Amino acid sequence: MAQNRREFLKVAGAAGAAWSLSDAWLAPVSAQSPKGRTGPWRTWGTDALKQARGLGCTYADIRFGRKRSQALNVRNGQLTSAGGFSFGGFGAVPGGGISDTFGFGVRVVHSGVWGFASSPIVSADEIGRIVQEATAIAKASAMAKRFDVKLAPVPAYDEFYETPHERDPFEVPLEEKLAVLTDATDAIQKNKQILFATAQVSFSQDWKFLVTSEGSFIEQSLYYCSCGTSATARSKGQVKTRIYTPGASTAGYEFLVKADLKGNAERVAAEAVEHSLAAPVQTGLKDLVLKPSHIALTMHEIIAHPTELDRIVGYEANYAGTSFVKLSDLGKLKYGSPLLNIYADRTHVGGCGTVGFDDDGVKSQRWPIIQEGRLVGLQTNRETAHYMGETESRGCTFANHWRNYPFLRMPNIQMEPGKPGSPSIEQMIGDVKDGVLVEGSGSFSIDQQRYNGQFGGNAFWEIKNGKVTRMVTDFTYNAITTDFWANLDAVGPPESWEHHGMDGDAKGQPVQSNYPSHGSSPCLIRKVMVGAAFS
Amino acid sequence: MSYSREEVKAITDKILNMAKADAVEVDFQGGERSATRYANSSITANLIEHDQQVSITVYYGQKSASTVTHQFDDASLKTAIEEAQILAKRKPDNPETMPLVKPPQNYVPVDAVIDRTVNFGPAERAAMVKKSLDICEKKGVVGAGYIPKLHWTTARANSEGLFSYFRYAEASFILTCRTPDGTGSGWAGQTGLKDVNLIDPVSITETAANKALKSQKPRAIEPGDYTVILEPRPAARFLSLLMTAMDARSAEEGRSFMSGAERGQTKVGQKLFGDNVTIKSVINHPVLRQSPIGEDGLAAQDVTWIEKGVVKNLYYSRYWAQKAGKAPTGTPPGLSMVMDGGTTSVEDMIKTTKRGLLVSFFWYMRPVEAMSILYTGMTRDGLFLIENGEITAPVQNFRWNETPVVGLNNISALGPPQPMHTGEAYDQPGTAMIPAMRIEDFTMTSVSPAV
């Protein structure tokens, strides 16, 4: 067996050489999804951690990972290699091909400092080399240390978790997937005023096997799906794209089927045309009726991010930013109206941020963030829990890839629906004299402490005297976070609650993506400044 | 991990020999990304990521499919090739399929590897962190910084005999200093440097720390149209917005600012910006030393995008060039980008400004309206009021809504170009030569108390 990469390449590069990395396991692993408790992971993990302990590490973990992904993008009935409108498609390469990546990462604490190294060459020798490298990195960094890493305790687990799903998307024939997308773009293009129609779907399966020096052996198999369509119309020089997307979800192929892309095509096309002919919204203070498909991103930016504890204590000061929330605000800060109830949740079935365990080996949980408008909780992980005096992690450590180091990432952050009998969306509209009904995500920009946000959307309807009158365009609104939520005047009932997943959320250096979901019922927000971006 | 030309060629040759199809393409990427990240004056992440991958594309007539694998053993390559072959045969014809790029391609020789940058390791990074933290402590500020290093190889080979290879190493040092009371913040950084010796942690820390101290307790002033002096980092971010509109296909399809009056027409040849706006891609620029390999393995060539305010070229992909009867551009707009500068230093710009703002950083820029390239964003990490030629006060950050179409018509002074990253993050190549610029009538629309 080759002992190092250079030797391996020499052999691998020899034309026709029948060479394999394997102890008879890699080929099957590359050819089919690993599942269950077989393979060398447990032994290799145990040996790696023993080696790390021998090198003087006070903590170590090794995370094996395999990520398969596929993205299909159709434009005007043709499969294309161009990306769609989605944020990231789970890192999949558009065009229908399969991306398959396999490797491992080793994380250690030595001399009170983190060290991390990763490699795609999965062999006992390489694991040994990477453990040494991670340890050397930590040791070399101790000269700049000001204080030691402090980790909250965690119980040991020996468990397997798999995303509930009905159908493995990688076992569905290509033709079947493609037909769903081409049927959708064909249906959109029946409207002759449409310039372009697109449909896309991304699938991903993340397999992980985590072994920690706390005694955990945790295997997870996570399935993700995101999909949607778009219709682009041009009238009188105005080009508008209407997007239909149910978002993203931890789910199998069934998510694409339930999305009913074709069934929404006619409406999406008609609304694209109407939007391209629409007049600009009038600037001023207006009441907003926001659908869950829109609120998801606003919640993400001005509730979920500012309540990440690592941001609050300054870990992201150089990139994503800090937060207007201070540790001393816990239990005191009036975040919004008494109708605002927010919870964090890594257990919600279908949630993009739903897992069995985080990448610290902490079991998934649900906990309150805002209760009746008051800030009561934050997102923590093993490394940051002590900042707020907690002795246990909330389980928010996540790495996007085996290649990447894990750090604090948001879980699903959801808004509780209103009580049964709360105003329906129709009743909210009926209660608005001068306002806008907003659907979908559009432009979004927020300052580095999450005070000042400017949000667009994908479709906007004017509301006058309790009635929806027409589509409008050039819509943005500005929100100062606590003022905006203080004006929350109605939250729809439980039956109107929807969650919307995101397949991209950038944070960290090097930047990594994260996939949270944000659920809510429709909301009515009073007196919001509208249209300033265009005035 | 380092990949020599011979090692990479052995792998791509092997794949080309294994795959059975009308045409085959292999894209190789591999190398090492290392980084030290610190905050609260202590290291929070310290890593080395080794990775390698091949993307294998097989063609049967106009059908094609790609698969990606990170394992180069026979079994894994065979699996990836077979998966691509099966997928390609089952896919519909793609009328936009182009024939493979044929050799020879005259790649401009670019030497982008300096050994001391390749060998820039965790101990050297930690020494920089310590040096920086010591200054931060002396000055009474809290440092949060990022020191990434990328040593990466890209290659493309195809069954026509094409083989292109490019290896580079670059490093950056990016720092934000904040005052302990949270009322002041300052940024400084150097990005995309091929020679790690050019990184000056002392100067970067002094600049960021002094900005943080000077920006404490900012006061709110009214939104409105301001003269702004953009230091090279916000100037680079602002300029990058324009480059998103340089695609010929979007323009000819009528869905971009560069679209002409009729479908199929563009604004090439029109004077859309000020006389002082000239933007090029310069392959083998002595500082940038970026990839000489363009789309599908075409040799990248120097391109003038805008000259003295006139749009000279848009980017034609191979497919769209064929459709439009033009030559493919080869060079994407962001590659080795250079904007001509002037001779006015930031200090001199301040001295000659009656009332305006000095901007250290732009943040969270996002599109608002595509056809006018209208974007919104925030100022961050040091915003200062200028009155009668002097900085008179730190001011609270602004949200702006502006388009580079207007901004690049209102440039009243330019500084000498400096290497500066154009992207929001610093993890991919994307450094350009960008001057500081003074822009008149820049629209600030609302205030934020964020620091």
Side-chain angles (χ1 to χ4, degrees):
Chain A
M1 185 160 169
Q3 296 305 300
N4 58 45
R5 189 194 57 82
R6 202 161 291 279
E7 192 181 328
F8 156 60
L9 288 173
K10 256 188 249 169
V11 183
W19 196 90
S20 170
L21 261 182
S22 70
D23 292 324
W25 60 266
L26 184 54
V29 156
S30 299
Q32 60 192 314
S33 174
K35 206 168 182 179
R37 321 311 306 276
T38 57
W41 327 110
R42 186 178 283 264
T43 305
W44 280 359
T46 305
D47 290 350
L49 301 194
K50 191 173 163 189
Q51 181 191 356
R53 268 195 303 276
L55 292 168
C57 297
T58 51
Y59 172 81
D61 64 42
I62 181 165
R63 185 169 34 89
F64 298 97
R66 183 189 186 203
K67 188 184 183 88
R68 300 188 88 211
S69 51
Q70 181 180 38
L72 291 155
N73 300 67
V74 168
R75 185 179 189 263
N76 289 354
Q78 289 290 340
L79 190 63
T80 169
S81 294
F85 56 75
S86 69
F87 286 108
F90 310 114
V93 183
I98 306 282
S99 172
D100 194 344
T101 165
F102 186 58
F104 69 98
V106 172
R107 193 169 55 146
V108 303
V109 176
H110 191 290
S111 314
V113 184
W114 284 118
F116 176 84
S118 58
S119 172
I121 298 168
V122 189
S123 70
D125 294 331
E126 180 73 350
I127 291 167
R129 190 181 75 81
I130 291 294
V131 169
Q132 281 184 325
E133 201 165 41
T135 307
I137 289 169
K139 281 165 84 172
S141 308
M143 73 163 82
K145 181 180 69 170
R146 294 301 199 264
F147 52 82
D148 287 355
V149 170
K150 208 188 305 183
L151 299 176
V154 60
Y157 297 97
D158 193 335
E159 290 198 32
F160 171 67
Y161 172 87
E162 184 170 58
T163 299
H165 65 285
E166 294 167 26
R167 208 171 162 195
D168 183 334
F170 296 97
E171 291 172 7
V172 176
L174 179 74
E175 294 84 349
E176 189 178 332
K177 299 171 191 173
L178 207 46
V180 173
L181 304 183
T182 52
D183 285 356
T185 59
D186 289 351
I188 291 169
Q189 285 187 279
K190 281 184 181 160
N191 186 320
K192 295 302 168 205
Q193 290 168 278
I194 294 297
L195 276 179
F196 308 107
T198 71
Q200 45 272 315
V201 65
S202 297
F203 302 107
S204 177
Q205 189 214 352
D206 285 9
W207 172 87
K208 307 178 187 188
F209 195 102
L210 175 70
V211 185
T212 76
S213 57
E214 315 289 34
S216 280
F217 298 88
I218 297 166
E219 184 178 14
Q220 300 191 78
S221 179
L222 310 170
Y223 286 86
Y224 298 90
C225 178
S226 76
C227 61
T229 59
S230 76
T232 300
R234 180 176 178 169
S235 311
K236 298 178 184 173
Q238 265 204 135
V239 177
K240 295 296 175 188
T241 298
R242 181 75 174 100
I243 290 167
Y244 164 66
T245 175
S249 183
T250 44
Y253 181 75
E254 65 279 1
F255 185 75
L256 174 64
V257 176
K258 287 171 188 165
D260 192 16
L261 302 185
K262 186 181 175 183
N264 282 277
E266 192 181 338
R267 175 183 61 83
V268 167
E271 287 174 359
V273 174
E274 190 184 350
H275 194 182
S276 70
L277 292 161
V281 70
Q282 286 181 316
T283 303
L285 285 178
K286 295 188 187 296
D287 294 345
L288 302 181
V289 177
L290 306 177
K291 290 189 172 183
S293 62
H294 173 81
I295 297 167
L297 186 57
T298 305
M299 281 171 60
H300 174 89
E301 301 294 3
I302 61 175
I303 294 178
H305 274 309
T307 54
E308 293 170 318
L309 183 47
D310 63 336
R311 288 182 68 116
I312 292 167
V313 299
Y315 277 41
E316 284 287 331
N318 183 238
Y319 177 57
T322 55
S323 175
F324 76 91
V325 172
K326 299 174 187 69
L327 279 173
S328 56
D329 288 335
L330 259 180
K332 298 175 198 159
L333 177 69
K334 194 167 175 293
Y335 212 106
S337 89
L339 294 172
L340 184 66
N341 290 285
I342 302 288
Y343 60 96
D345 187 5
R346 278 215 181 261
T347 66
H348 176 80
V349 174
C352 254
T354 298
V355 295
F357 296 84
D358 80 345
D359 288 338
D360 274 341
V362 176
K363 202 169 179 63
S364 290
Q365 54 199 280
R366 172 181 163 153
W367 69 101
I369 301 289
I370 296 169
Q371 286 180 323
E372 296 181 346
R374 201 162 297 282
L375 180 74
V376 296
L378 299 171
Q379 304 158 53
T380 72
N381 61 358
R382 292 189 69 198
E383 186 181 353
T384 57
H386 69 89
Y387 284 107
M388 58 185 290
E390 292 195 343
T391 54
E392 287 181 24
S393 162
R394 291 294 190 175
C396 293
T397 290
F398 179 79
N400 181 42
H401 201 282
W402 57 259
R403 185 197 309 127
N404 302 134
Y405 78 99
F407 70 116
L408 196 151
R409 303 311 311 263
M410 69 173 70
N412 306 309
I413 297 287
Q414 326 263 42
M415 188 189 296
E416 296 271 13
K419 291 183 173 69
S422 297
S424 66
I425 192 165
E426 293 78 15
Q427 289 168 315
M428 290 180 200
I429 291 165
D431 193 28
V432 169
K433 198 171 172 202
D434 179 17
V436 183
L437 170 67
V438 185
E439 185 181 299
S441 292
S443 179
F444 58 101
S445 171
I446 311 88
D447 70 45
Q448 76 280 11
Q449 289 194 306
R450 310 279 153 163
Y451 278 111
N452 177 318
Q454 178 173 296
F455 298 94
N458 186 245
F460 325 103
W461 292 266
E462 180 184 69
I463 303 170
K464 288 286 185 196
N465 301 317
K467 288 194 167 53
V468 171
T469 54
R470 58 179 182 156
M471 267 187 124
V472 286
T473 189
D474 291 356
F475 171 90
T476 57
Y477 64 86
N478 288 84
I480 296 292
T481 300
T482 47
D483 296 349
F484 179 80
W485 293 115
N487 291 342
L488 175 65
D489 199 35
V491 180
E495 62 270 21
S496 61
W497 194 93
E498 294 171 18
H499 86 87
H500 285 263
M502 303 193 168
D503 59 359
D505 170 31
K507 186 183 169 190
Q509 290 171 313
V511 174
Q512 294 183 39
S513 269
N514 179 42
Y515 322 132
S517 275
H518 305 296
S520 75
S521 296
C523 292
L524 170 59
I525 317 263
R526 302 285 188 186
K527 293 183 185 167
V528 181
M529 176 51 72
V530 162
F534 294 90
S535 60
Chain B
M1 285 183 177
S2 171
Y3 296 86
S4 71
R5 185 182 181 90
E6 293 69 30
E7 286 172 327
V8 175
K9 191 155 190 327
I11 289 174
T12 58
D13 282 351
K14 181 177 183 176
I15 293 164
L16 293 171
N17 286 330
M18 286 169 82
K20 300 286 173 267
D22 296 347
V24 186
E25 244 174 347
V26 184
D27 271 308
F28 170 93
Q29 286 195 60
E32 171 209 321
R33 184 217 303 271
S34 301
T36 298
R37 190 185 200 204
Y38 61 103
N40 288 346
S41 298
S42 201
I43 289 174
T44 55
N46 209 351
L47 56 97
I48 179 164
E49 297 174 355
H50 301 286
D51 205 357
Q52 59 184 22
Q53 70 168 57
V54 284
S55 172
I56 302 163
T57 307
V58 298
Y59 296 83
Y60 298 99
Q62 290 200 303
K63 301 177 197 293
S64 71
S66 304
T67 51
V68 175
T69 181
H70 296 235
Q71 273 63 50
F72 296 171
D73 62 289
D74 283 6
S76 300
L77 293 176
K78 186 166 177 282
T79 300
I81 291 165
E82 284 175 355
E83 208 159 35
Q85 289 170 332
I86 291 163
L87 278 168
K89 285 173 183 169
R90 287 164 54 189
K91 276 169 70 173
D93 282 0
N94 178 358
E96 298 190 12
T97 301
M98 292 295 293
L100 299 182
V101 170
K102 289 187 167 64
Q105 290 289 318
N106 296 317
Y107 301 113
V108 176
V110 177
D111 181 5
V113 180
I114 295 173
D115 284 347
R116 58 178 165 262
T117 306
V118 170
N119 298 324
F120 180 51
E124 290 92 344
R125 295 199 301 269
M128 276 189 187
V129 173
K130 187 174 186 314
K131 205 178 272 189
S132 176
L133 290 182
D134 289 347
I135 297 167
C136 287
E137 278 178 8
K138 253 184 237 159
K139 288 185 169 278
V141 297
V142 181
Y146 181 49
I147 310 174
K149 179 196 95 180
L150 198 57
H151 177 207
W152 206 248
T153 299
T154 60
R156 176 175 285 255
N158 68 31
S159 52
E160 290 288 344
L162 180 96
F163 181 77
S164 63
Y165 172 92
F166 180 64
R167 183 163 71 95
Y168 65 95
E170 62 181 43
S172 307
F173 188 130
I174 302 119
L175 177 66
T176 304
C177 288
R178 294 176 63 79
T179 56
D181 65 358
T183 69
S185 183
W187 183 92
Q190 293 174 282
T191 68
L193 298 176
K194 296 294 185 286
D195 186 351
V196 71
N197 277 5
L198 295 176
I199 292 179
D200 184 348
V202 172
S203 166
I204 289 171
T205 308
E206 296 272 356
T207 303
N210 291 342
K211 274 206 168 171
L213 293 167
K214 284 178 186 165
S215 69
Q216 283 181 99
K217 299 186 174 67
R219 62 185 171 94
I221 59 173
E222 283 296 311
D225 288 355
Y226 283 88
T227 297
V228 294
I229 297 170
L230 307 184
E231 290 186 342
R233 174 61 176 157
R237 297 289 291 122
F238 190 61
L239 184 65
S240 73
L241 307 182
L242 179 65
M243 302 323 278
T244 63
M246 300 304 287
D247 179 60
R249 180 173 189 168
S250 304
E252 292 183 13
E253 286 182 338
R255 52 193 174 97
S256 129
F257 166 74
M258 291 292 176
S259 299
E262 299 294 327
R263 210 170 160 182
Q265 294 178 345
T266 72
K267 290 178 176 157
V268 169
Q270 293 182 28
K271 187 170 187 303
L272 301 177
F273 310 102
D275 291 342
N276 48 12
V277 177
T278 295
I279 301 165
K280 300 172 180 168
S281 284
V282 180
I283 308 305
N284 202 18
H285 184 279
V287 175
L288 300 176
R289 292 195 264 181
Q290 291 172 6
S291 175
I293 306 163
E295 184 197 11
D296 292 349
L298 286 175
Q301 305 293 339
D302 291 0
V303 179
T304 300
W305 303 105
I306 294 159
E307 189 170 54
K308 294 180 179 170
V310 178
V311 180
K312 289 290 187 184
N313 285 288
L314 297 178
Y315 175 74
Y316 281 85
S317 67
R318 295 179 64 226
Y319 168 72
W320 201 251
Q322 181 197 52
K323 197 175 161 68
K326 291 190 157 67
T329 311
T331 307
L335 184 66
S336 285
M337 191 167 70
V338 177
M339 178 172 175
D340 284 4
T343 54
T344 315
S345 67
V346 168
E347 291 71 24
D348 287 343
M349 289 183 200
I350 293 167
K351 279 179 197 161
T352 53
T353 298
K354 193 167 185 320
R355 191 167 192 271
L357 297 167
L358 175 65
V359 179
S360 305
F361 202 93
F362 275 161
W363 172 242
Y364 223 116
M365 304 187 323
R366 293 294 184 274
V368 176
E369 205 283 314
M371 294 298 279
S372 58
I373 328 180
L374 177 65
Y375 270 71
T376 189
M378 299 294 308
T379 64
R380 175 178 168 178
D381 296 332
L383 181 68
F384 302 93
L385 181 65
I386 302 162
E387 292 172 303
N388 299 318
E390 287 184 353
I391 290 176
T392 54
V395 290
Q396 286 192 355
N397 284 304
F398 278 119
R399 167 168 303 289
W400 52 266
N401 282 274
E402 190 54 275
T403 165
V405 179
V406 173
L408 297 183
N409 268 295
N410 291 339
I411 295 175
S412 58
L414 288 168
Q418 294 178 31
M420 191 51 69
H421 206 281
T422 56
E424 190 169 89
Y426 309 95
D427 299 313
Q428 300 297 330
T431 293
M433 296 301 292
I434 304 291
M437 47 182 88
R438 184 172 62 192
I439 298 177
E440 308 297 328
D441 298 326
F442 195 95
T443 305
M444 303 293 184
T445 52
S446 64
V447 179
S448 171
V451 174

